[in-house]
Amino acid sequence: MTSTIQDAPFYQPIGNECELFEHAFKHKLPVLIKGPTGCGKTRFIAYMAHKLNLPLYTVSCHDDLTASDLVGRHLIADNSTIWNDGPLTRAVRNGGICYLDEIVEARKDTTVVIHPLTDDRRILPIDRTGETLQAPDDFMLIVSYNPGYTNMMKGLKPSTRQRFISLSFDYLPAAQEQLVVEKETGADALLAQRLVALANALRNLKDQDLEEMPSTRLLVYTATLIIAGFDHVEACRAGLIEPLTDEPETIKALMEVVYAVFG
Amino acid sequence: MEDIVGQLWHKFISKVAYNGYPEQQVALADISNSLAVFFRAMGGNGGLKITEVNAFEHGAKQSLLQKIAGSGTHIELAWRDEDTLRLPAAIDVLPNVEQNRQLYFWLAALASIDDKPFEHLNWIGAAQAKTVAVLSQYPGLKKRYFELVALIIQHRPTLSKLKERDLAAEQAIRQALLEPGSVDRLPLSQRPPMPVMLWLNPNPPTKAKAKEASDDDDSSNDDDQSSSGKVKQSNNRKYQAEQQEEDSEQQKPSLLTVRHETDLFTLAEMFKLARSEDDDDDLDNASEIADDLDYLTISKDNKTRGSRIKFDLDLPAASDDDIALSEGSLFPEWHYKKNKLIKDHCCVIPMVSGHATPTPLPENLTRAARKVRRQFEALQAQRQWVRGLEDGSEIDLEAYINYCGERATGRLSAQPALYKHMLPGHRDLATLVLADLSLSTEASLSEETRIIDVIRDALFLFSESLCTTTDQFAIYGFSSKKRQMVRFTTIKGFNDKYDNRVRGHINAIRPGLFTRMGGAIRQATEILQKRPNAQKLLLLITDGKPNDLDQYEGRYGIEDTKAAIIEAKQAGLIPFCITIDRDAKEYLPYLFGSKGYAQIKDIQQLPSELPLLYAQLTGLY
């Protein structure tokens, strides 16, 4: 997916991540971003792409993503085949940010492809066409992953990890998260504050009752429903509770927490 | 005849005098899971467990009918300490089920508030301050709170029937309920006022009881006569038993020397009685006696201490022991001081339980087992495309392109494989679970559970979930007594089918002796090495450090275990450790690497965590 970002996306910086990112770009260093689902990784990159005025090539990695999905493949045409660049190759040819989301999900051969791009060579060899592309100065590689998901069979290899400047993301402190919900949805301060309080109550349940914590993204969804006129409690059920668990008993208990906040 | 009439009358009058709605009752057991989640979400400590509180005599005025019926003397008030949240076993004071349920959730919310900021307040001040804290943090509860207050007030003594000081106290309580934060102190009353079910017990029995018992103990050190109490298990009622600890430095003035105004709702004292051993015959009645007491106090006693604690490190009698399958095989051991591997230093004896009988899955686990099985079945559904097939559901474009290319250049393969097909994901994984069955697993976690019971449940759920997958697994347990004997018990071999016979072997695991990890890991490595699978996982479940009677402790044990783990890695295995030891951070990163172990914080969670951890580790997720 390629996009040139028109309007500046809203992003709430929390530390020095923007400066670090800019430095990494200036010095042609690749960046690794880790953090839980929906905490703003993708938004941060969109924001930075806009700030640096770069096109953004996003690839959401999945189990079946192979190196050729990144690099490109031959397509059938009339009695012939045509080489079609993959998103990584396009970014290397034209410059811009190539963002590999959830890199650990991809097959192992993909990491082999990105290795030569992450050291000082900054090259992309394409076996099938016999080309070796030299990345331009405004090319930047970014990968992200969610450390909560990693397992032994499918982790990021230390040798891959060590090729990146790494930034760690987490959910925002309550005040900032409230601000994000307000800005994103136009919710009033009271609603945003209660939603954030609810989310933080639910985040207490991580590991013990819930596999994953409710994300800022879910809060934004829920606030959107409420602003559109949905009943608070029902909006929370659909936007916040049901996405978190399938256990009827846990849902019941979590709804009690919703009642406690929205009554 | 008189008896029957008496019983009928008692039944009748009790029913008439009963101040509640038994048909609208909500039982704690039915909603304790939801309550626990709610409590934790409100910020309550995740390690707390929820149990039933027992009733105590409140001493407040009864109604006339209650007096006649002899009922209404006791009340159950919720309270919380460091590790338990105690709630009434059932609530039926309010006129409908939903309201009774709400009362439970309100109490859980109240209990989730930290006590610290309110310690300087008197009890009624603290109760109101906590109420205010809950309401401001969770504004949604306001409406419900005031609904509950209105209903609860109807249950309180009628104002017109109270006199002077009792009336003033009752009015103060009502005001405190209706306008929390507005009452500084409770006026002195003649009788203790009726306790408030919407508040937590202001004087939970633990501290007071322990204190009384310790006072008693101190003064009777030279007392030759001893008393001892055994608690007979009863299903009807839970006893609050307080284990009294030796904390003489923390002596505070005895409970009775301070005037706690209205705090003192109850008094159940522990007396040391000179009872001869013959009285033990009475133990059958003990549960009845215990029912009549508000609290049971268990105190350390200078006489019976030794005889009551069984700490026997000798081997079980031959008739009761497991069966050794062979004389054992010898394994080396790493001596870190000599910096060398000592050959044939440790003897591992394969054993099998001699008293395992086929058993079905314990009933208390069926629900959890169903849940993990369902989860694992869903995980199994992961499928992937297999390319380059001669027949399949879709055209394999890549193969087709290559085929076209080949055809264009005149090279033709006889049978082009141009299709792809979705096939179930292929895994080729063997897992060996090695459970530490050392004596330390005998330690109790609660009145009914020992660590070994949790490990047993964990092994059950692990097996239940794994048998829905294609992954192969085996379970072994180990314990040791010096280097001559590392008992390596087969619970389930790789080739055994998981059935009631294996369940019987899981059921039969018992705490053994010590923890000579190195030898056991080497034996497990040897077994796993022989497996033909592509990936091999060695999963060690333990509750502590390696140790044994001889030099195998401290550094020696750690270093040998580390050496055994390195050998396992070299053999192509993936060793992983799951521990319940709180101090695991001190040594496990050294043994297994920072990513090579998982620490289960709440031991009780081990059974449900183990299958999930496995799924995560092996990429089922």
Side-chain angles (χ1 to χ4, degrees):
Chain A
M1 189 183 80
T2 326
S3 58
T4 314
I5 293 141
Q6 305 290 331
D7 299 324
F10 168 70
Y11 177 75
Q12 174 75 41
I14 179 108
N16 61 350
E17 69 268 28
C18 298
E19 291 81 42
L20 259 174
F21 193 99
E22 280 182 56
H23 272 277
F25 173 69
K26 263 185 216 149
H27 295 93
K28 301 179 222 163
L29 303 172
V31 172
L32 166 84
I33 294 178
K34 44 190 169 178
T37 324
C39 70
K41 300 186 292 263
T42 306
R43 177 58 67 88
F44 169 64
I45 290 155
Y47 169 77
M48 289 312 294
H50 179 266
K51 200 171 172 194
L52 299 170
N53 197 21
L54 293 169
L56 175 63
Y57 301 82
T58 307
V59 182
S60 300
C61 300
H62 51 82
D63 284 12
D64 219 16
L65 187 99
T66 58
S68 57
D69 291 322
L70 289 179
V71 175
R73 55 163 50 91
H74 283 104
L75 295 181
I76 299 175
D78 254 356
N79 270 333
S80 67
T81 57
I82 301 170
W83 173 255
N84 187 33
D85 280 346
L88 182 65
T89 312
R90 241 174 299 149
V92 174
R93 278 195 212 278
N94 308 326
I97 295 177
C98 182
Y99 170 39
L100 308 180
D101 195 4
E102 294 298 349
I103 180 84
V104 283
E105 294 295 325
R107 288 199 185 183
K108 286 210 173 100
D109 60 342
T110 53
T111 47
V112 180
V113 179
I114 61 172
H115 272 198
L117 272 173
T118 51
D119 50 34
D120 58 346
R121 292 174 290 168
R122 284 169 59 88
I123 51 167
L124 176 65
I126 308 175
D127 297 343
R128 294 188 186 175
T129 59
E131 283 175 284
T132 299
L133 300 179
Q134 178 70 47
D137 287 352
D138 60 351
F139 168 79
M140 186 177 191
L141 180 69
I142 299 175
V143 300
S144 79
Y145 81 105
N146 179 348
Y149 290 148
T150 45
N151 59 57
M152 247 167 27
M153 310 288 173
K154 218 181 188 185
L156 209 51
K157 279 194 291 186
S159 61
T160 307
R161 247 173 210 282
Q162 287 209 20
R163 293 166 171 269
F164 294 89
I165 300 286
S166 295
L167 297 176
S168 197
F169 277 56
D170 205 345
Y171 298 119
L172 293 168
Q176 268 112 331
E177 192 168 28
Q178 186 188 330
L179 199 72
V180 169
V181 176
E182 284 174 39
K183 287 252 171 125
E184 278 291 301
T185 62
D188 59 50
L190 183 67
L191 173 63
Q193 186 203 345
R194 287 193 177 180
L195 277 173
V196 171
L198 177 58
N200 282 326
L202 300 179
R203 283 171 193 160
N204 288 333
L205 301 174
K206 163 84 174 136
D207 293 335
Q208 206 160 347
D209 305 294
L210 294 177
E211 280 166 43
E212 274 232 302
M213 296 193 275
S215 59
T216 310
R217 177 167 40 218
L218 282 185
L219 286 189
V220 169
Y221 288 175
T222 311
T224 311
L225 285 181
I226 292 175
I227 289 168
F230 253 93
D231 172 54
H232 286 57
V233 171
E234 285 313 307
C236 288
R237 184 197 292 278
L240 207 49
I241 305 300
E242 296 280 355
L244 285 176
T245 177
D246 298 325
E247 283 292 311
E249 208 171 343
T250 313
I251 290 181
K252 247 188 188 170
L254 297 187
M255 283 313 290
E256 288 297 333
V257 185
V258 173
Y259 289 129
V261 173
F262 286 105
Chain B
M1 184 64 190
E2 270 175 34
D3 265 11
I4 296 169
V5 171
Q7 277 171 13
L8 282 174
W9 164 249
H10 181 71
K11 233 179 169 176
F12 167 75
I13 193 72
S14 302
K15 204 174 167 188
V16 173
Y18 193 73
N19 199 4
Y21 305 87
E23 64 285 358
Q24 301 294 329
Q25 172 181 299
V26 175
L28 177 62
D30 296 338
I31 61 164
S32 66
N33 288 343
S34 300
L35 273 175
V37 175
F38 180 77
F39 175 71
R40 289 193 280 267
M42 297 311 239
N45 187 322
L48 256 66
K49 78 174 189 235
I50 294 185
T51 59
E52 296 168 5
V53 73
N54 54 340
F56 67 92
E57 196 171 343
H58 51 68
K61 193 172 161 37
Q62 299 153 263
S63 70
L64 184 66
L65 272 175
Q66 283 174 335
K67 271 187 199 159
I68 297 170
S71 64
T73 53
H74 283 62
I75 190 164
E76 292 175 340
L77 283 191
W79 56 277
R80 170 180 66 84
D81 57 16
E82 287 79 26
D83 41 43
T84 333
L85 166 60
R86 292 168 206 266
L87 294 167
I91 294 186
D92 62 0
V93 288
L94 303 178
N96 72 47
V97 172
E98 184 52 30
Q99 287 161 342
N100 286 319
R101 206 171 146 271
Q102 289 309 324
L103 184 49
Y104 267 124
F105 280 97
W106 168 256
L107 290 172
L110 207 55
S112 70
I113 298 286
D114 187 16
D115 290 325
K116 278 241 168 75
F118 312 114
E119 270 172 356
H120 63 284
L121 295 169
N122 61 11
W123 74 268
I124 196 165
Q128 295 172 82
K130 280 188 190 176
T131 306
V132 171
V134 173
L135 294 181
S136 67
Q137 222 170 322
Y138 300 100
L141 288 176
K142 261 187 199 150
K143 193 170 145 239
R144 292 186 171 190
Y145 169 74
F146 288 109
E147 281 169 11
L148 288 175
V149 167
L151 290 163
I152 287 283
I153 282 184
Q154 289 173 17
H155 270 265
R156 299 194 58 79
T158 324
L159 289 177
S160 57
K161 289 185 181 164
L162 293 172
K163 281 176 211 147
E164 296 163 18
R165 290 201 301 195
D166 287 351
L167 180 66
E170 179 59 29
Q171 275 169 333
I173 285 184
R174 290 185 182 205
Q175 191 192 333
L177 280 171
L178 289 165
E179 294 167 51
S182 65
V183 178
D184 297 336
R185 61 191 311 277
L186 192 65
L188 277 182
S189 55
Q190 256 165 334
R191 304 189 64 140
M194 178 65 86
V196 181
M197 280 202 83
L198 275 175
W199 293 338
L200 303 182
N201 190 341
N203 183 32
T206 29
K207 290 171 201 154
K209 291 317 302 162
K211 217 73 271 166
E212 275 177 64
S214 78
D215 289 345
D216 241 309
D217 238 20
D218 292 346
S219 62
S220 59
N221 280 341
D222 51 355
D223 190 353
D224 273 340
Q225 302 291 349
S226 74
S227 71
S228 64
K230 265 188 185 172
V231 179
K232 250 192 100 196
Q233 289 295 330
S234 155
N235 297 327
N236 308 333
R237 198 178 146 188
K238 295 215 164 116
Y239 306 107
Q240 258 153 256
E242 292 94 34
Q243 196 106 35
Q244 170 242 320
E245 284 163 26
E246 292 166 277
D247 57 347
S248 48
E249 320 70 89
Q250 293 176 359
Q251 292 276 351
K252 286 180 192 160
S254 160
L255 179 82
L256 295 173
T257 59
V258 181
R259 181 118 194 245
H260 279 267
E261 295 172 353
T262 49
D263 293 4
L264 195 61
F265 287 129
T266 180
L267 180 62
E269 286 166 90
M270 200 216 53
F271 292 108
K272 277 197 163 190
L273 296 178
R275 297 173 98 200
S276 72
E277 287 298 308
D278 298 345
D279 282 353
D280 275 5
D281 293 349
D282 238 15
L283 276 175
D284 287 340
N285 295 328
S287 65
E288 283 168 34
I289 297 165
D291 270 333
D292 293 336
L293 286 173
D294 285 344
Y295 310 105
L296 292 178
T297 304
I298 299 172
S299 78
K300 283 191 181 163
D301 193 285
N302 43 6
K303 245 314 186 42
T304 52
R305 200 176 296 164
S307 59
R308 295 286 174 206
I309 301 172
K310 197 179 165 207
F311 195 77
D312 185 3
L313 291 185
D314 285 339
L315 289 173
S319 59
D320 195 31
D321 195 13
D322 296 344
I323 303 155
L325 296 175
S326 76
E327 284 182 2
S329 28
L330 296 173
F331 286 92
E333 209 163 275
W334 177 257
H335 199 301
Y336 78 101
K337 275 186 188 155
K338 295 181 184 162
N339 202 15
K340 72 169 192 186
L341 210 57
I342 309 172
K343 256 189 161 182
D344 299 342
H345 192 68
C346 163
C347 180
V348 177
I349 305 166
M351 306 200 96
V352 67
S353 170
H355 50 90
T357 46
T359 34
L361 186 68
E363 252 176 46
N364 58 334
L365 291 177
T366 44
R367 199 168 151 260
R370 222 175 21 241
K371 188 176 151 191
V372 288
R373 270 204 302 265
R374 222 174 39 225
Q375 278 170 336
F376 271 68
E377 274 159 11
L379 293 173
Q380 273 312 96
Q382 275 189 354
R383 298 181 299 169
Q384 62 186 110
W385 288 104
V386 178
R387 295 168 189 279
L389 298 175
E390 287 178 13
D391 191 18
S393 55
E394 277 187 44
I395 293 174
D396 183 350
L397 210 56
E398 243 175 68
Y400 177 70
I401 292 162
N402 288 340
Y403 171 74
C404 291
E406 282 170 5
R407 200 176 57 175
T409 51
R411 285 180 294 149
L412 258 185
S413 45
Q415 271 191 315
L418 300 181
Y419 293 91
K420 58 181 182 178
H421 191 67
M422 189 72 102
L423 281 186
H426 181 64
R427 279 159 67 97
D428 187 15
L429 176 70
T431 303
L432 188 149
V433 178
L434 187 56
D436 171 359
L437 303 179
S438 60
L439 190 71
S440 49
T441 58
E442 177 131 46
S444 297
L445 295 171
S446 67
E447 283 167 45
E448 299 105 33
T449 346
R450 296 169 300 163
I451 293 177
I452 189 92
D453 301 322
V454 177
I455 292 181
R456 178 183 303 125
D457 288 357
L459 292 181
F460 269 127
L461 286 190
F462 178 79
S463 311
E464 290 291 327
S465 49
L466 270 254
C467 69
T468 64
T469 71
T470 53
D471 297 349
Q472 296 173 359
F473 70 106
I475 304 173
Y476 293 88
F478 75 98
S479 78
S480 66
K481 190 183 179 191
K482 300 198 181 165
R483 66 188 181 93
Q484 291 85 355
M485 189 171 70
V486 176
R487 298 156 67 93
F488 196 81
T489 315
T490 306
I491 297 167
K492 178 193 176 297
F494 275 109
N495 296 324
D496 295 336
K497 194 169 163 275
Y498 179 65
D499 52 16
N500 282 350
R501 196 184 57 80
V502 170
R503 287 190 186 100
H505 278 279
I506 295 179
N507 205 28
I509 61 167
R510 288 185 301 184
L513 304 161
F514 298 94
T515 321
R516 207 175 192 93
M517 268 184 204
I521 290 174
R522 288 187 180 96
Q523 171 72 72
T525 305
E526 197 184 272
I527 295 170
L528 258 181
Q529 238 180 329
K530 290 181 186 154
R531 301 300 308 168
N533 305 67
Q535 282 172 315
K536 299 162 194 173
L537 179 64
L538 171 58
L539 209 56
L540 177 68
I541 302 176
T542 177
D543 68 335
K545 282 183 208 183
N547 82 309
D548 205 339
L549 274 181
D550 50 10
Q551 60 180 344
Y552 204 92
E553 56 173 5
R555 178 97 192 265
Y556 184 98
I558 296 272
E559 294 289 345
D560 175 54
T561 307
K562 180 161 175 115
I565 290 163
I566 292 172
E567 287 162 32
K569 282 184 182 164
Q570 281 166 350
L573 316 184
I574 305 167
F576 192 88
C577 179
I578 294 167
T579 185
I580 50 179
D581 185 3
R582 284 175 210 280
D583 302 326
K585 272 203 185 108
E586 290 169 15
Y587 56 94
L588 277 187
Y590 179 69
L591 290 177
F592 288 86
S594 65
K595 290 268 174 195
Y597 75 97
Q599 188 182 2
I600 308 286
K601 294 210 174 78
D602 180 4
I603 300 169
Q604 306 275 12
Q605 297 295 323
L606 180 67
S608 52
E609 289 266 323
L610 183 61
L612 297 182
L613 206 60
Y614 174 83
Q616 251 165 29
L617 277 177
T618 62
L620 271 172
Y621 271 146

